[in-house]
Amino acid sequence: MPAHVPNRSGPSGPSGPSRRSVLTTAGLVAAGVALDGTVGASSASAAAAPAIFYSPHQDDEAIGLAGSILEHKAAGRPVYLVLVSKGENGGLAEYMNQGDCKTLGDRCSAPGHHHRLGWQESWPTPEVVAGRTAEFALSAKALGVDKVINFKLSDEAFGDYDNFVKKVMAKVRALAQQYPGASHKFAAGWLDGTDTHKACSDAAYWLMKNGELTDVRFNYIYAYKHFSDPADRGRGADYVLHIPAAHMARKRASILAYNTWDPGRNLYSLGYHSVSDWLEPAYADPREFVYTLPKKYKPGKL
Ligand SMILES: [Zn+2]
Ligand SMILES: [Zn+2]
């Protein structure tokens, strides 16, 4: 990989080399080359029960699950990656329609930092869903997961929350029955503090209560955003994963999938326009924060 220089500053403006964040498209291409030799090397572990990771939205797996995914792969486990919600997002469509990029300015990887895509801004934002899912697929490829599963649930946690939890439960239950002995990894939604993530935790909570899930862990995906000082992240975690350098390179490739501008592949840097403030610290911090369910867990909408 070419060297990335975090927080490098330089001349701005459309003609000069713009200020680049640590996330660049060039980095992605180089990382993709390096990954070719390692994908598909898990046949020896085909008999092992899978570790199933549930990403509430496109980008959550890159931010806070990638290192754990690679850890399980390295331990010989097949890893399945689930995308829970479709990730409808009207605000992101507005960003993409705005012309000169006010969201990212010269950090925007579109030519001239300009995009007027004419995307539908009202629910269910089909172009946003397709673009985000293309980024997710590229990220999953970078991580070398054995299977990608898309629940295709409308992100309705902000509306009929309880119904959304039930839908997630039904889908997770089906996987638990299909793959006995699987371990299940969710977002620590009670810490992340968004309804969609909390709904995933709640689904796990209810299924654990019924005895339908036993081996369950939760990653604090928003720790990077919630604590600007890295020393504050992971306090109270049951396990802090220190991601080895080789795995961190792949996690970064997964993050870079969310800052790649390549319309021919339906890639529009949507993740970076949406949550650059979360992707940047996750890119810089080679740790993930793993929790078990708290004893006093309270299910329900936040
Ligand atoms: Zn999310
Ligand atoms: Zn932009």
Side-chain angles (χ1 to χ4, degrees):
M1 267 179 94
H4 290 284
V5 184
N7 305 317
R8 194 185 79 183
S9 53
S12 59
S15 58
S18 57
R19 185 175 91 75
R20 281 284 167 216
S21 72
V22 294
L23 310 178
T24 68
T25 308
L28 175 68
V29 172
V33 171
L35 288 170
D36 284 351
T38 46
V39 174
S42 64
S43 55
S45 60
I52 306 178
F53 288 78
Y54 299 87
S55 186
H57 301 106
Q58 303 92 337
D59 69 32
D60 290 313
E61 85 294 346
I63 294 168
L65 299 172
S68 300
I69 285 170
L70 294 162
E71 179 193 32
H72 283 75
K73 285 283 293 175
R77 296 284 295 281
V79 170
Y80 300 168
L81 176 60
V82 174
L83 175 57
V84 175
S85 79
K86 291 185 189 177
E88 299 97 330
N89 189 325
L92 209 35
E94 284 178 35
Y95 287 169
M96 288 298 119
N97 294 340
Q98 67 187 333
D100 289 337
C101 187
K102 298 182 196 74
T103 310
L104 291 173
D106 63 9
R107 293 189 299 148
C108 175
S109 55
H113 321 303
H114 181 98
H115 34 79
R116 196 182 297 284
L117 301 183
W119 284 4
Q120 182 179 317
E121 296 178 5
S122 58
W123 194 272
T125 64
E127 295 92 349
V128 166
V129 170
R132 294 187 75 183
T133 305
E135 292 174 0
F136 182 81
L138 188 59
S139 162
K141 195 176 172 190
L143 296 172
V145 300
D146 297 280
K147 193 190 287 273
V148 175
I149 297 164
N150 191 341
F151 281 177
K152 295 189 178 169
L153 296 175
S154 280
D155 192 355
E156 288 164 346
F158 296 92
D160 189 346
Y161 179 86
D162 293 338
N163 191 45
F164 183 74
V165 172
K166 281 179 190 154
K167 286 180 180 174
V168 176
M169 279 177 71
K171 296 273 194 184
V172 174
R173 175 181 290 125
L175 287 180
Q177 290 171 352
Q178 191 176 354
Y179 303 107
S183 55
H184 299 261
K185 322 288 186 181
F186 296 88
W190 69 95
L191 298 171
D192 287 344
T194 78
D195 285 321
T196 311
H197 291 218
K198 182 64 167 31
C200 293
S201 302
D202 280 9
Y205 168 81
W206 292 116
L207 291 168
M208 290 168 79
K209 210 173 158 67
N210 295 345
E212 295 181 78
L213 294 185
T214 48
D215 185 355
V216 184
R217 296 290 183 278
F218 301 85
N219 280 37
Y220 187 0
I221 294 171
Y222 288 5
Y224 312 94
K225 160 84 170 173
H226 288 164
F227 302 101
S228 54
D229 183 349
D232 293 334
R233 296 173 194 153
R235 287 215 178 109
D238 291 282
Y239 170 53
V240 175
L241 170 65
H242 293 272
I243 304 171
H247 288 184
M248 196 59 198
R250 297 182 68 150
K251 172 166 178 167
R252 287 179 172 141
S254 156
I255 290 174
L256 288 168
Y258 292 95
N259 192 22
T260 300
W261 189 273
D262 186 354
R265 292 190 292 158
N266 212 10
L267 299 170
Y268 295 93
S269 294
L270 295 178
Y272 200 58
H273 282 80
S274 172
V275 291
S276 66
D277 289 353
W278 318 26
L279 292 166
E280 294 276 1
Y283 190 97
D285 188 343
R287 297 176 301 165
E288 287 178 3
F289 312 102
V290 185
Y291 290 72
T292 53
L293 199 71
K295 287 198 175 60
K296 291 181 178 173
Y297 185 82
K298 286 199 180 74
K301 192 171 163 69
L302 289 162

